[in-house]
Amino acid sequence: EMQLVESGGGLVLPGGSLRLSCTASGFRFSSFAMNWVRQAPGKGLEWVAVMSASGSSTYYADSVKGRATISRDNSRNTLYLQMDSLRPEDSARYYCVKGGWEVLTWFGPWGQGTLVAVSS
Amino acid sequence: DIVMTQSPDSLAVSLGERATINCRSSQSVLLSPHNRNYVAWYQQKSGQPPKLLIYWASTRESGVSDRFNGSGSGTDFFLTISSLQAEDVAVYFCQQYFTTPLTFGGGTKVEIK
């Protein structure tokens, strides 16, 4: 069974940083693009970033460009999201989501998410 | 950016009746040589992460009930639940993966009338 488990969320001050992690199991992690998608409480879904299977290509939403860095360690089956200069509007549940063989694909499965709260 | 607009925002349907959700993209998400529409649909139940239902606009994900059907092409897409069951109460999202940024519709909340 494919599984994604996120960690690293928490309460952080505006301007602070956070590193989210996602550990994958049940599939060949190194063969698939991986994404971060976030959802503010009671709101819709916002795609944040994607990294290709090899790690050679990355794309970001404009809302996080320059402040977020997606990375992966295929030897550890782990995806990361480094978020810097955090703003209150970054508060959301962050989901790690498996993509397809290419960057432009549908999402699934999704992890349970990790909650990030940016507040003073 | 491609904007995905869903309608209605919410929908109340009697058990056993049909529910239809519309999703319109601000530009075509059809890749002509392959005749494929880059649209997916997700179901999110309360307190859970989204679950993939449909991709390529009409291909049902493995294990998804055949009550769920996707249709449409170009810029106009539909998700139909043929006979609403209690377990279908959820918020449904469409998504385009034609180009980055990957974008979602605002969601449609489906409830029992």
Side-chain angles (χ1 to χ4, degrees):
Chain A
E1 179 193 1
M2 289 186 279
Q3 195 169 12
L4 299 165
V5 179
E6 302 94 334
S7 60
L11 177 62
V12 61
L13 293 170
S17 297
L18 217 52
R19 189 197 199 199
L20 308 181
S21 300
C22 167
T23 303
S25 60
F27 65 99
R28 185 172 290 183
F29 180 77
S30 59
S31 293
F32 295 95
M34 294 295 296
N35 297 263
W36 289 98
V37 176
R38 68 185 181 183
Q39 185 172 35
K43 301 297 184 182
L45 301 167
E46 180 187 17
W47 169 78
V48 174
V50 62
M51 174 167 267
S52 63
S54 66
S56 60
S57 298
T58 59
Y59 299 91
Y60 297 91
D62 284 347
S63 58
V64 303
K65 201 172 291 183
R67 301 186 300 119
T69 304
I70 188 172
S71 61
R72 63 192 295 162
D73 184 342
N74 284 345
S75 68
R76 296 176 183 268
N77 290 349
T78 303
L79 179 74
Y80 303 99
L81 183 69
Q82 175 72 37
M83 292 284 294
D84 300 316
S85 303
L86 282 160
R87 306 166 181 169
E89 55 264 36
D90 294 318
S91 297
R93 179 168 294 274
Y94 284 71
Y95 293 103
C96 169
V97 194
K98 175 183 169 290
W101 292 347
E102 300 175 352
V103 164
L104 297 177
T105 65
W106 55 91
F107 299 143
W110 300 56
Q112 291 295 315
T114 186
L115 203 54
V116 172
V118 184
S119 175
S120 54
Chain B
D1 298 3
I2 297 179
V3 177
M4 304 296 281
T5 304
Q6 280 183 241
S7 61
D9 293 335
S10 62
L11 186 59
V13 175
S14 300
L15 288 172
E17 295 300 306
R18 179 188 301 255
T20 301
I21 301 168
N22 176 235
C23 179
R24 186 160 291 171
S25 57
S26 60
Q27 63 188 75
S28 177
V29 293
L30 170 65
L31 194 59
S32 299
H34 307 285
N35 199 33
R36 285 186 163 175
N37 289 281
Y38 283 53
V39 167
W41 289 93
Y42 303 87
Q43 175 194 63
Q44 186 176 31
K45 296 183 179 180
S46 180
Q48 296 182 18
K51 172 190 170 185
L52 175 67
L53 296 176
I54 303 281
Y55 56 93
W56 294 133
S58 61
T59 301
R60 206 177 294 117
E61 170 71 336
S62 175
V64 171
S65 170
D66 59 6
R67 296 196 309 278
F68 294 93
N69 291 282
S71 62
S73 185
T75 60
D76 233 347
F77 300 92
F78 299 90
L79 176 69
T80 301
I81 309 172
S82 59
S83 175
L84 192 75
Q85 303 300 304
E87 61 264 31
D88 301 333
V89 168
V91 179
Y92 294 85
F93 295 94
C94 62
Q95 177 230 343
Q96 66 79 19
Y97 49 95
F98 187 79
T99 186
T100 59
L102 307 171
T103 50
F104 293 89
T108 296
K109 187 174 185 178
V110 174
E111 300 173 306
I112 305 295
K113 185 189 291 183

